[in-house]
Amino acid sequence: MAGEEFWRQPDNQGYRPCLSFSLDYRKASAKISKEKRKFLVVVVSGGLNQQRNQIVDAVVIARILGAALVVPVLQVNRIWGDESEFSDIFDLEHFKKTLQADVRVVSSLPSTHLVSQQSIENQMPFHVSPMWIRARFLHQLNEEGLLILKGLDSRLSKNLPPDLQKLRCKVAFHALRFASPIRDLGNQIARRMWIEGPYIAVHLRIEKDVWVRTGCLTGLGAEYDEIIAKDRESNPDFLTDKLNMTNSARRLSGLCPLSALEVARLLKALGAPSNARIYVAGGEPFGGNRAVQPLVHEFPNIVTKQMLARHGELTPYMNKPSVLAAIDYIVSLSSDVFMPSHGGNMGRAMQGHRAYVGHRKYIKPNKRMMLPLLEDRSVSDEEFRRTMQKLHRYSQGQPESRNNKFDRDVLAYPVPDCMCKQ
C-alpha cells in the first residue's frame, strides 16, 4: 500500500448532516424556549470530552422536562485541577443562540430560586429514559421551580426518540463551539500542520493517570511499573473495571492503551509513509521522551502543540488542561487521518465528529486481534502487515450505522439519526 493509498479518504456514501425536527417538536418549542419558571442546574465533571457529553445530556434533559437550562457548572477535577468555567472553554453566546429554538439557556439562576443543599440529585441510575426522567423529577420541578443534577455521566439512555437524538447532535456538533481565543489558536496550530501537507493526529494515551486507571503495565520496565503500582494502591478508587484480571489477560482483552511502539507498528503496517507528519495529542507522557521514542524512531516528523506554538501562545493555558485538550481537539479534527491509541471519550468524540464533517479517515485499532500477533516473534513483518490491513479494512471511518448495535452512542455513530443521504 503506497503512501498515496494511506491518505485516501473513506467513501462517505453521500451521507450529509440532516437535523430536521418533527412538527410536534417544533410546536412544543414555542413554549419551552420561553420558560421562565422552571430551571435546571447541572454540575458536570471529568476531562473536556466527558464534560462535553454531560453538557449535551443536560440540554436534552432540560428539553425533556421543559425547563430553562442554567449554564452548566464545571466541577474542578481532582486529577486535572482545572478551574475553568463554561465560558472560558466554550463560546457561551453561540451556545445560547444555537439552542434558542430548543431550550432557553440562562447565565444564572434568578434570585427568586433559592438553592438548598439537600436538593442536589446525584443518584440517577444508568441509561434512564425520558419517561423515567419525567416521572422522577417533573413534580419536584413544578413545585420548587428548580432541579440540580450532578453525576450525569452515561445516565441518559443512548436510545432516545429521533428528535432528541438530533438535539444531541445539534448540541455536540453545532452549539458546543470553543471560545474564540481557543478556536483561533487551535486553527493556527492546525494551519501550521497542514501547510506542509497531509498529517496524522494520534491521541497517545500514555499519561500517568491512564496507567493508574487502566491497571496496565507501562512497557517501560519494572521501576516505572512500580511507581504506577504505588499510586494505584494509594488511590484504589481510580482503577476502572475488571479488577480481578491478570495484567496479561487485561492486555489481551484490549483493555490497555497501545504503547508508542505498538502505534508505530500499526501505522507502518497500514501504509503510513515514514516521512508522514504526526501530531501527538494527549497529556504529558509518563516516562517522558523514553515513552515516545519508539514512535519517533519510525516516524521522525513528530510534533506536539508545545512544539508548534510560537513564543507565549500557550502560556495563558499552562494550568488549564481542558483548554489544552480543546486545542488538541481542533488540531485532531482538522487532520487527514486520526487514530486513538486507546478508546475513551476523545476517541468516541473524534469518531462521531469526523463522521459528521464528511467521514474523514479514522483508524480504530483492533487491539484484541493485533496484540497476540505483536507478541508472536515468529510472525514476519510482511505477515503482520497483511493481517493488519485485512483487520482494519472496514474500520477506517466509513459510514457505520448506529442501528447495527443497540446502545451505540449517536455522538460516535451519527448515521442514520443525524445524517442521511440527500
Side-chain angles (χ1 to χ4, degrees):
M1 196 190 283
E4 203 176 306
E5 180 66 30
F6 177 79
W7 299 114
R8 181 174 296 159
Q9 295 300 316
D11 177 6
N12 67 15
Q13 295 168 25
Y15 280 102
R16 299 266 185 283
C18 55
L19 299 181
S20 46
F21 293 92
S22 71
L23 185 58
D24 285 348
Y25 179 94
R26 297 201 309 272
K27 275 182 180 165
S29 295
K31 181 171 179 284
I32 295 173
S33 62
K34 293 182 181 62
E35 179 57 50
K36 288 193 172 74
R37 212 185 57 76
K38 296 184 298 193
F39 294 90
L40 173 66
V41 174
V42 172
V43 181
V44 303
S45 58
L48 175 77
N49 292 294
Q50 215 175 338
Q51 289 175 341
R52 280 174 59 97
N53 292 340
Q54 292 169 57
I55 292 165
V56 169
D57 283 355
V59 173
V60 175
I61 292 170
R63 174 76 196 196
I64 290 167
L65 293 168
L69 177 69
V70 180
V71 173
V73 179
L74 311 188
Q75 194 175 349
V76 179
N77 181 292
R78 64 175 176 163
I79 294 177
W80 311 120
D82 192 327
E83 295 182 8
S84 302
E85 292 180 4
F86 186 97
S87 56
D88 296 329
I89 301 172
F90 303 106
D91 182 334
L92 178 55
E93 288 316 306
H94 176 78
F95 183 73
K96 287 179 175 177
K97 200 171 156 194
T98 307
L99 297 172
Q100 64 189 8
D102 306 277
V103 165
R104 181 170 176 242
V105 179
V106 296
S107 293
S108 57
L109 204 57
S111 53
T112 47
H113 290 62
L114 288 172
V115 178
S116 65
Q117 189 53 44
Q118 65 273 22
S119 62
I120 298 181
E121 288 283 346
N122 58 1
Q123 295 299 314
M124 260 165 84
F126 285 101
H127 309 306
V128 298
S129 67
M131 212 162 95
W132 187 96
I133 285 171
R134 286 191 199 98
R136 176 75 181 76
F137 298 125
L138 207 49
H139 179 71
Q140 176 189 343
L141 196 53
N142 287 334
E143 293 262 298
E144 298 174 21
L146 174 64
L147 173 65
I148 304 174
L149 292 180
K150 216 177 160 180
L152 266 194
D153 212 13
S154 294
R155 295 306 194 239
L156 188 56
S157 167
K158 299 283 180 268
N159 296 295
L160 296 176
D163 285 321
L164 296 180
Q165 295 288 52
K166 287 185 169 69
L167 180 56
R168 268 184 165 147
C169 293
K170 185 174 179 178
V171 182
F173 305 137
H174 296 277
L176 273 179
R177 189 168 84 175
F178 293 118
S180 56
I182 299 173
R183 219 165 59 240
D184 292 347
L185 180 54
N187 288 332
Q188 253 168 341
I189 291 176
R191 267 199 297 279
R192 287 168 204 162
M193 281 303 295
W194 61 248
I195 204 159
E196 292 185 38
Y199 69 95
I200 306 165
V202 172
H203 189 217
L204 202 55
R205 300 300 312 280
I206 53 176
E207 302 98 326
K208 189 177 183 183
D209 74 285
V210 175
W211 296 120
V212 173
R213 283 186 294 114
T214 54
C216 298
L217 297 177
T218 63
L220 298 172
E223 53 184 310
Y224 289 93
D225 288 333
E226 218 164 285
I227 296 169
I228 297 298
K230 279 195 179 124
D231 248 41
R232 206 174 282 142
E233 275 163 37
S234 54
N235 296 295
D237 55 328
F238 275 9
L239 186 57
T240 43
D241 57 2
K242 313 273 195 312
L243 296 174
N244 53 354
M245 290 173 88
T246 63
N247 287 320
S248 172
R250 191 178 281 276
R251 193 172 129 73
L252 291 174
S253 301
L255 296 172
C256 294
L258 295 177
S259 68
L261 176 64
E262 289 157 354
V263 166
R265 286 200 64 189
L266 178 56
L267 283 172
K268 209 174 149 188
L270 293 176
S274 57
N275 65 352
R277 293 168 66 260
I278 295 182
Y279 176 87
V280 173
E284 188 60 39
F286 177 63
N289 291 339
R290 178 178 171 170
V292 188
Q293 189 48 45
L295 184 58
V296 179
H297 178 73
E298 291 292 352
F299 297 95
N301 292 330
I302 279 190
V303 289
T304 58
K305 55 189 166 296
Q306 287 82 359
M307 291 159 76
L308 288 164
R310 306 263 158 87
H311 181 69
E313 283 179 333
L314 288 176
T315 311
Y317 309 124
M318 286 330 284
N319 296 324
K320 297 192 177 294
S322 292
V323 176
L324 298 176
I327 291 167
D328 277 344
Y329 191 103
I330 293 167
V331 183
S332 296
L333 187 61
S334 307
S335 68
D336 299 80
V337 178
F338 176 82
M339 185 172 98
S341 70
H342 191 45
N345 294 307
M346 169 78 162
R348 278 194 296 277
M350 274 298 127
Q351 183 182 343
H353 209 154
R354 288 177 75 85
Y356 196 77
V357 294
H359 288 93
R360 290 186 187 152
K361 189 164 181 173
Y362 175 98
I363 299 168
K364 195 175 189 175
N366 188 332
K367 290 191 284 187
R368 207 175 284 183
M369 300 293 278
M370 71 184 267
L371 288 172
L373 289 170
L374 280 169
E375 294 188 350
D376 185 347
R377 294 283 164 86
S378 68
V379 175
S380 70
D381 282 355
E382 179 53 34
E383 193 183 338
F384 182 72
R385 187 183 70 83
R386 267 204 318 273
T387 312
M388 287 307 103
Q389 292 194 9
K390 206 187 232 167
L391 265 183
H392 295 88
R393 187 172 295 152
Y394 301 111
S395 51
Q396 303 216 2
Q398 301 91 332
E400 201 177 336
S401 173
R402 199 183 76 87
N403 291 349
N404 299 347
K405 283 193 186 155
F406 195 61
D407 273 353
R408 272 183 170 173
D409 184 354
V410 71
L411 299 187
Y413 297 91
V415 172
D417 305 70
C418 303
M419 298 185 79
C420 46
K421 294 188 183 190
Q422 290 177 341

